[in-house]
Amino acid sequence: MQLDELKAELHAAGFPAFTARQVFQWVYHKNNQDPASWSNVAKAGRERLAALYGLAPRPILERRGDAGGTRKFLIGLADNHRIETVLIPEKGHYTFCLSSQAGCALACAFCATGAMGFRRNLSAGEIVSQVLTLKKELGDYAGRINLVFMGMGEPLLNYENLARALRIVCAEDGLNVSPRHVTVSTAGILAGLDRLEHDFPLVKIAFSLNAPDPLLRSELMPISRREGLVGLLDYFRAHERRQRITFEYVLLAGINDSPAQARQLARLIHGIPAKINLIPYNPNPRLPFRRPDEAGIEKFRSVLLEKGLTVVTRWSKGEDIRSACGQLAVLTEDC
Ligand code: SAH
């Protein structure tokens, strides 16, 4: 719930006008979701709040950490679905990699979450609660965080809840994260991009491009048959954002990693202010793809650099704990 909504609801329930703000301060600023301990709220009010709202963050079922400090959390939802959230330490801040859906409907051929299928959308509360959980893990960390919607799911196919979550996350009364420090990664959903542009012009977009020609892209990413690559790139050309767009490109050996494909990619995105993140494929034993060798990755990168593009090779963190890009998949019997 956003602050205004809570204000209206609590007002109707007979609470004093300032209670909603107190609730927000406890829940978001103090990261305390236990009304019984809210000392500045009258006892009867605390009991009613506890009865009215389920505020406790969902439990962590499993934690895994890698040598570099990246940590992955398996979180249990009320209806027994499970999601994963990843905490990545960076210089001077943390990045939280959040899930927007349990599973994913897009079935990208190379992605472990895609292989597990779609379970359901996360509520705004389940999205925001991942941030609270990770902050708690860091001892109620109050420093800078970057949020990236690169965990499970396609955020733009859960737009309503994503937007509600972003409003709470970015509000001063909420988690007070600058929208400039939020990145929404998408396989490319035009209607959702348009809404995001309108509602959150400062939020960064990362677009999972992954193949330089429409046919190959449609083979790897079935959504591309409906949301065509050319149309998406035209959209990015026509709607220059305040922050450069990031093109993500997963490098798959023998499939999309040739120098000719690098040249094709450069031509395709010509004229769009962007940076390219090359993500060497993180293998999954169930999927038939391989990561190119280092020389191949470097060659691909150098072709793009020669074309004057900004390119970063993203060696995913958390590989050894299966929490690198594209590896989030809750291991259950049916996936
Ligand atoms: N649905 C959104 C966000 C989740 S995926 C999207 O498509 O952008 C986040 C990123 O991980 C995407 O760029 C995706 O292409 C990439 N990815 C998926 N599987 C991967 C893998 N096995 N190795 C490396 N990157 C992968």
Side-chain angles (χ1 to χ4, degrees):
M1 227 183 269
Q2 286 153 47
L3 183 59
D4 285 348
E5 295 166 332
L6 186 64
K7 268 187 188 158
E9 200 169 289
L10 289 185
H11 178 71
F15 281 91
F18 48 78
T19 308
R21 194 172 292 274
Q22 289 176 322
V23 171
F24 260 58
Q25 275 164 359
W26 284 109
V27 170
Y28 296 114
H29 292 181
K30 300 192 177 126
N31 207 1
N32 174 337
Q33 291 82 31
D34 177 16
S37 68
W38 295 353
S39 49
N40 60 355
V41 180
K43 186 153 183 289
R46 298 202 296 257
E47 282 163 10
R48 280 186 71 207
L49 288 169
L52 280 171
Y53 302 109
L55 293 168
R58 303 303 314 159
I60 295 173
L61 304 179
E62 202 183 308
R63 298 173 163 77
R64 285 193 202 171
D66 83 346
T70 294
R71 286 189 259 163
K72 177 166 81 164
F73 301 88
L74 179 66
I75 295 174
L77 305 179
D79 57 1
N80 291 328
H81 287 305
R82 292 178 292 171
I83 53 166
E84 291 177 336
T85 301
V86 184
L87 173 65
I88 306 157
E90 316 258 14
K91 274 195 205 95
H93 70 275
Y94 285 92
T95 295
F96 294 177
C97 179
L98 307 179
S99 291
S100 54
Q101 300 179 315
C104 185
L106 297 189
C108 297
F110 47 82
C111 176
T113 311
M116 74 178 267
F118 180 65
R119 306 292 158 88
R120 69 166 171 83
N121 280 332
L122 299 189
S123 68
E126 287 166 337
I127 295 173
V128 176
S129 153
Q130 293 172 61
V131 182
L132 298 175
T133 297
L134 294 186
K135 283 187 138 194
K136 218 165 271 214
E137 282 296 305
L138 292 170
D140 286 335
Y141 173 75
R144 176 174 153 201
I145 51 177
N146 278 14
L147 300 179
V148 298
F149 285 86
M150 295 183 183
M152 291 179 151
E154 169 49 51
L156 295 186
L157 288 181
N158 184 16
Y159 187 81
E160 290 299 330
N161 294 336
L162 173 74
R164 291 181 72 80
L166 286 179
R167 285 195 196 99
I168 293 167
V169 159
C170 296
E172 251 177 70
D173 295 303
L175 288 167
N176 204 10
V177 174
S178 161
R180 289 188 169 77
H181 295 156
V182 177
T183 301
V184 171
S185 179
T186 178
I189 309 293
L190 264 182
L193 280 166
D194 224 24
R195 295 179 76 182
L196 194 69
E197 164 75 48
H198 177 266
D199 298 343
F200 304 95
L202 295 177
V203 162
K204 282 195 249 182
I205 302 270
F207 171 58
S208 300
L209 203 157
N210 292 343
D213 79 86
L215 258 174
L216 175 62
R217 188 166 190 272
S218 293
E219 272 170 41
L220 295 172
M221 305 175 70
I223 183 67
S224 204
R225 291 175 208 147
R226 282 204 281 130
E227 304 265 357
L229 180 58
V230 174
L232 283 161
L233 293 173
D234 284 347
Y235 176 86
F236 292 132
R237 268 195 192 91
H239 297 252
E240 200 170 305
R241 292 186 64 87
R242 285 194 224 164
Q243 305 211 68
R244 276 191 301 177
I245 179 166
T246 298
F247 289 122
E248 296 162 283
Y249 194 99
V250 181
L251 281 167
L252 306 163
I255 290 178
N256 67 357
D257 65 333
S258 73
Q261 285 165 315
R263 286 190 288 276
Q264 207 179 348
L265 174 62
R267 277 197 301 278
L268 189 72
I269 63 173
H270 184 75
I272 305 176
K275 84 175 190 212
I276 302 175
N277 277 359
L278 294 179
I279 317 174
Y281 179 64
N282 295 303
N284 181 296
R286 292 156 187 250
L287 302 174
F289 297 97
R290 284 180 306 112
R291 170 184 287 191
D293 61 26
E294 281 197 34
I297 294 168
E298 195 39 43
K299 175 74 198 157
F300 195 93
R301 191 173 92 97
S302 67
V303 171
L304 297 173
L305 288 175
E306 276 163 28
K307 302 281 180 193
L309 295 162
T310 309
V311 192
V312 178
T313 308
R314 290 265 169 224
W315 295 98
S316 294
K317 315 224 167 121
E319 241 181 290
D320 50 338
I321 53 169
R322 298 279 298 277
S323 68
C325 290
Q327 291 187 320
L328 300 182
V330 178
L331 298 172
T332 56
E333 323 74 77
D334 55 345
C335 74

